[in-house]
Amino acid sequence: MISFLRLQNFKCFEDQSFQLKPLTLLAGLNGTGKSSVIQSLLLLRQSSQQGVLQTKGLALNGDLTHIGRGIDALFERAGKDVIEFALVLDNGKQGKWRFNSKREADILDLASAIHDSGIYWSILFGRNDSYFYYLQAERIGPRRFFETSDFLVRQNRQLGSGGEYTAHFLSTFGSNAIPNDIMGHPKAVSLALNDQVEAWLGEVSPGTRITPTPDIVTDTISLQYSFVMGDQPISNNYRATNVGFGITYALPILVAVLSSVPGSLILIENPEAHLHPKGQAMMGNLIARAASCGIQLVVETHSDHVLNAIRVAVHDGELDPDDVQLHFFKRQEQDGQIAVVSPRIDQDGRLDQWPDGFFDEWDNSLEALLQPRKER
């Protein structure tokens, strides 16, 4: 696992360090650098997979992320056109990379690299793609047909950064048992991935059933949903485009988390998107369970329901508080610099500090409602 990350002169960060745990939650106002933390990890992986990190430099554009040019990656007030990334793994292995940020270049020249032997075999860089998932905020919503890829799905067990291969993944591996019993939903009829996904989706939309149907002529696959309630017969099948948007949008995250083995690394942006509060809490609970199984997750979220579900999991003894790291990002008014505050969580699920702007809109609204009504 990654235990430490340092970014220098990268995007909005002049020099910022981050402790990472099995579950790291990134929160804060829009445009304060949360996505940039995830992008830094994606850039290292992307550059390694393109074969340029060890010899040539940092590939700013690729399948995982697209930054643009050097001027887009460089901190705007940098004293030198140099970007540095540093990593420390939980086994003590370290790596530090320095790149010359030519402003018009899309591959930043490698100025120096100092790292321990074997660091490129860590999950972030490793060639075994089945241990790594990245699901971006702009995922694939309901479609009439979804893409298939024998290479990416069957051979590398990938979903695509937008979740575009999720339907193919379910069609291929849906009958396989999930690797971690602790993530099994109590209402699922078995530990098979399909049954588990349906049971967890039931927290979003009760009674949901999923039917992926391949079309070998067009090399696509369709998703249909049906519903069952108690002893009632299953409803007709409905196209994904005729069912709630959030069901399809949440599907890649459920599949990625439930199918991950211990030692995996999952990067997720906005798991709460298009879900009602109960569904958001479900995501937080599942993410907490995954972290307790030896899976590392870095999650960007705007949802207090996701946060509170993680706090409840700690309170209930399902997740060790030392396995949770919170980072809150805010822009300072006096100089526009990004400040990062890192509240700590105790075994009761309580936080040692609650910075202004950190999931406090409920309290702010409640306080306003308790004030005497103004006469018009």
Side-chain angles (χ1 to χ4, degrees), residues 1-5 18-27 33-42 87 124 132-136 139 253 257 264-271 287 290-291 295-301 306 310 323 325-327 329:
M1 290 189 180
I2 304 169
S3 60
F4 176 83
L5 172 67
F18 302 91
Q19 295 291 333
L20 303 183
K21 299 287 183 67
L23 175 51
T24 301
L25 210 65
L26 311 177
K34 302 181 300 299
S35 296
S36 297
V37 175
I38 292 178
Q39 286 172 346
S40 69
L41 298 175
L42 294 175
L87 284 178
L124 180 64
F132 177 88
Y133 292 105
Y134 164 57
L135 291 168
Q136 63 188 23
R139 296 185 288 279
I253 298 174
V257 174
S264 297
L265 172 62
I266 308 178
L267 311 180
I268 305 175
E269 296 174 344
N270 305 122
I287 287 168
I295 298 168
Q296 184 169 30
L297 303 100
V298 180
V299 179
E300 176 191 353
T301 184
V306 170
I310 293 168
D323 287 341
Q325 181 68 61
L326 307 177
H327 293 302
F329 298 67

Side-chain angles (χ1 to χ4, degrees), residues 66-81:
H66 194 287
I67 301 298
R69 300 170 298 161
I71 193 171
D72 300 305
L74 184 67
F75 176 64
E76 66 179 356
R77 285 180 260 176
K80 296 181 179 180
D81 288 359

Side-chain angles (χ1 to χ4, degrees), residues 72-345:
D72 300 305
L74 184 67
F75 176 64
E76 66 179 356
R77 285 180 260 176
K80 296 181 179 180
D81 288 359
V82 173
I83 293 174
E84 292 189 19
F85 293 162
L87 284 178
V88 179
L89 307 182
D90 59 358
N91 61 8
K93 292 186 180 298
Q94 303 182 32
K96 184 177 181 179
W97 298 264
R98 175 179 291 181
F99 308 99
N100 293 321
S101 184
K102 294 181 180 178
R103 296 182 175 239
E104 300 302 317
D106 59 4
I107 294 182
L108 307 186
D109 292 339
L110 180 66
S112 65
I114 303 172
H115 50 76
D116 293 325
S117 174
I119 196 169
Y120 288 113
W121 290 101
S122 67
I123 297 302
L124 180 64
F125 305 104
R127 300 301 180 187
N128 191 339
D129 287 340
S130 63
Y131 281 74
F132 177 88
Y133 292 105
Y134 164 57
L135 291 168
Q136 63 188 23
E138 191 178 1
R139 296 185 288 279
I140 296 295
R143 300 286 190 274
R144 289 185 300 160
F145 303 101
F146 296 86
E147 297 180 56
T148 64
S149 172
D150 184 73
F151 174 73
L152 290 173
V153 175
R154 195 177 300 276
Q155 297 186 43
N156 291 292
R157 298 179 66 89
Q158 286 297 289
L159 303 173
S161 59
E164 59 268 31
Y165 302 113
T166 303
H168 189 195
F169 192 102
L170 275 176
S171 177
T172 304
F173 301 112
S175 61
N176 293 3
I178 62 172
N180 304 292
D181 292 0
I182 196 172
M183 286 195 283
H185 195 285
K187 294 183 179 179
V189 298
S190 79
L191 288 174
L193 178 62
N194 268 340
D195 292 332
Q196 289 296 324
V197 169
E198 289 180 345
W200 282 101
L201 269 180
E203 302 291 337
V204 177
S205 182
T208 301
R209 298 292 181 266
I210 308 170
T211 304
T213 305
D215 186 329
I216 59 174
V217 176
T218 61
D219 287 329
T220 60
I221 187 166
S222 64
L223 268 184
Q224 293 181 318
Y225 297 106
S226 57
F227 301 91
V228 60
M229 295 299 294
D231 296 330
Q232 298 298 314
I234 294 178
S235 71
N236 295 332
N237 284 331
Y238 300 99
R239 294 183 181 185
T241 50
N242 292 331
V243 178
F245 198 96
I247 295 176
T248 302
Y249 216 67
L251 196 59
I253 298 174
L254 296 180
V255 172
V257 174
L258 287 169
S259 59
S260 289
V261 300
S264 297
L265 172 62
I266 308 178
L267 311 180
I268 305 175
E269 296 174 344
N270 305 122
E272 71 276 7
H274 301 290
L275 295 178
H276 61 74
K278 185 178 180 182
Q280 295 178 36
M282 174 272 291
M283 279 296 185
N285 179 262
L286 183 60
I287 287 168
R289 291 194 189 194
S292 73
C293 294
I295 298 168
Q296 184 169 30
L297 303 100
V298 180
V299 179
E300 176 191 353
T301 184
H302 293 283
S303 172
D304 52 350
H305 301 295
V306 170
L307 169 65
N308 288 334
I310 293 168
R311 295 173 63 199
V312 170
V314 171
H315 174 274
D316 292 346
E318 298 174 354
L319 181 62
D320 193 309
D322 291 335
D323 287 341
V324 182
Q325 181 68 61
L326 307 177
H327 293 302
F328 173 63
F329 298 67
K330 61 180 182 179
R331 191 178 300 276
Q332 301 179 108
E333 293 185 4
Q334 61 271 26
D335 58 6
Q337 295 276 62
I338 300 301
V340 180
V341 183
S342 304
R344 297 180 60 115
I345 188 170

